[in-house]
Amino acid sequence: MRILLIIAVIAIGYDAVVHQGHYTRSIWTSVVGLTDSAVTSAKQIGQSAREEMGSTKQ
């Protein structure tokens, strides 16, 4: 685990120095977008399940 952390720190540092952080920002934006998409999907699934449960109780 420490080795992966060291590799990540070196890669981010290299990107910051050589590419002014372009790749790190791009990756971070992608991760945030995927997380937002997953949260939105989970909310929609939960809402659909609640609506389905409400219609079966009546």
Side-chain angles (χ1 to χ4, degrees), residues 40-56:
T40 301
S41 296
K43 285 180 181 178
Q44 289 174 345
I45 290 170
Q47 184 177 10
S48 296
R50 281 192 301 271
E51 289 173 356
E52 187 174 305
M53 293 297 286
S55 65
T56 59

Side-chain angles (χ1 to χ4, degrees), residues 28-44:
W28 184 252
T29 302
S30 297
V31 168
V32 169
L34 288 172
T35 303
D36 183 51
S37 175
V39 168
T40 301
S41 296
K43 285 180 181 178
Q44 289 174 345

Side-chain angles (χ1 to χ4, degrees):
M1 185 67 180
R2 286 186 219 169
I3 292 173
L4 291 176
L5 182 61
I6 291 169
I7 291 171
V9 168
I10 290 171
I12 291 169
Y14 177 79
D15 179 46
V17 171
V18 176
H19 303 287
Q20 288 82 35
H22 174 73
Y23 294 113
T24 304
R25 283 191 304 272
S26 176
I27 291 170
W28 184 252
T29 302
S30 297
V31 168
V32 169
L34 288 172
T35 303
D36 183 51
S37 175
V39 168
T40 301
S41 296
K43 285 180 181 178
Q44 289 174 345
I45 290 170
Q47 184 177 10
S48 296
R50 281 192 301 271
E51 289 173 356
E52 187 174 305
M53 293 297 286
S55 65
T56 59
K57 288 183 179 180
Q58 295 176 356

